[in-house]
Amino acid sequence: MEHAADPSHPRYRSLLMRHRLEVAAEKGMLADSALIAHGRGEAYDYLLGERTIPSAHIASQVALRALHDAEHPVLSVNGNVVALAGDEMLQLAEKLGCPLEVNIFYRTPERMEALLSDLNERKERLGIDVDILGAAPDATIPGLKGPRAKCETKGILSADVLLVPLEDGDRCEALVAMGKTVIVIDLNPLSRSARRGSITIVDELSRCLENMLSMSTEGLPSLESYDHNKSLQDALDAIVEGMKNGLSEPKE
Ligand code: ATP
């Protein structure tokens, strides 16, 4: 059930996202720290002006091209990703013809079950055919310890290009060390994942996915044209510029 708040409310989108997390928490899909992670993202989004900045738009084009050109692309999802944009992740997997793998930091059988059944319900409602992996991990990500290292051979382990929105820094680094092209979506340009990813899109997850879903896969810029540090610096500059100009803008 979506939030009843009036769509004309200036904070409608933010309220809607919070509501989606509340519903997911009730269903046992989220770790206890999920709302803290979301709050950190919201703060950065506020500073970025709650818009897709030009460098993020370009990074998302480069990312879509890398996924489209990949031999074995995989989309990795955690609790917050399913809660905030489960439909869009499934639609992107369908657009690319690739699997989606549930890969969570605090792995418990109950959370895995809650996430897999939520995704399967969405898949049925949307009427799309996408492989959902994660239920039967048979491999580990080298360099990581414990349950968070678990993954599937036919999914994350053999992926050449991976989309890992809202990923933890250690796991991002371990995946890059395996030689994979790792695409991160993270509103914090200073986070370890943002810095360690191969391509980082500094944008709000659902906004970024809507943008990628509306793009044609033809004529997109290549990875060679992407400058990772410049893209992150552009995001920091956008925050600083916004702060300098923020109070000089007319009051709504
Ligand atoms: P890292 O280990 O990479 O340094 P972290 O410890 O700062 O990450 P986590 O708690 O692992 O952060 O994950 C939350 C990250 O996700 C934060 O960097 C936050 O900015 C980002 N984030 C939260 N919600 C969203 C969202 N809706 N869209 C994009 N990014 C988000």
Side-chain angles (χ1 to χ4, degrees):
M1 194 187 55
E2 286 294 30
H3 199 260
D6 178 358
S8 65
H9 188 288
R11 305 231 50 77
Y12 173 73
R13 201 170 167 101
S14 163
L15 294 172
L16 178 64
M17 293 301 152
R18 287 183 181 188
H19 179 69
R20 287 184 183 173
L21 288 170
E22 284 164 16
V23 172
E26 273 166 30
K27 288 188 186 171
M29 288 161 51
L30 303 183
D32 292 343
S33 57
L35 299 183
I36 299 170
H38 184 72
R40 175 137 59 191
E42 276 191 338
Y44 276 98
D45 204 19
Y46 216 102
L47 295 172
L48 283 161
E50 294 172 322
R51 70 196 160 112
T52 300
I53 58 171
S55 55
H57 181 72
I58 294 170
S60 63
Q61 289 178 316
V62 172
L64 186 62
R65 161 97 181 253
L67 287 163
H68 185 254
D69 289 355
E71 260 173 48
H72 187 34
V74 173
L75 313 186
S76 168
V77 297
N78 62 22
N80 282 38
V81 174
V82 175
L84 294 171
D87 286 4
E88 291 80 2
M89 286 300 283
L90 284 163
Q91 285 160 343
L92 185 62
E94 188 192 38
K95 175 171 173 149
L96 294 162
C98 76
L100 200 102
E101 181 163 339
V102 178
N103 190 252
I104 55 180
F105 194 92
Y106 300 107
R107 180 185 271 266
T108 64
E110 294 77 17
R111 272 192 72 214
M112 285 301 292
E113 178 49 37
L115 287 167
L116 289 163
S117 65
D118 183 86
L119 281 169
N120 279 309
E121 276 168 29
R122 289 171 185 269
K123 192 174 120 168
E124 204 157 302
R125 174 170 48 75
L126 294 167
I128 58 180
D129 186 22
V130 165
D131 257 359
I132 298 175
L133 307 175
D138 58 349
T140 52
I141 300 168
L144 292 180
K145 288 197 187 114
R148 70 188 175 130
K150 289 186 178 180
C151 67
E152 291 204 19
T153 304
K154 62 181 179 188
I156 288 175
L157 195 78
S158 54
D160 54 347
V161 181
L162 260 173
L163 176 64
V164 289
L166 325 186
E167 182 56 282
D168 143 73
D170 280 357
R171 200 155 46 186
C172 178
E173 189 171 36
L175 293 166
V176 171
M178 289 172 80
K180 301 179 189 301
T181 298
V182 178
I183 301 163
V184 172
I185 303 172
D186 192 330
L187 279 159
N188 176 4
L190 297 169
S191 80
R192 288 176 309 145
S193 318
R195 285 186 287 151
R196 289 173 188 175
S198 321
I199 304 168
T200 295
I201 307 165
V202 182
D203 199 3
E204 197 281 322
L205 171 69
S206 60
R207 212 166 48 224
C208 170
L209 292 174
E210 278 169 21
N211 194 14
M212 284 169 97
L213 286 170
S214 71
M215 280 176 200
S216 158
T217 49
E218 301 296 316
L220 294 171
S222 69
L223 185 51
E224 289 67 43
S225 68
Y226 168 79
D227 183 335
H228 187 61
N229 286 340
K230 180 175 180 310
S231 193
L232 294 182
Q233 187 61 52
D234 280 352
L236 288 171
D237 291 348
I239 291 172
V240 172
E241 280 309 306
M243 283 189 181
K244 276 195 215 151
N245 301 328
L247 293 177
S248 60
E249 278 174 8
K251 241 181 168 182
E252 280 180 18

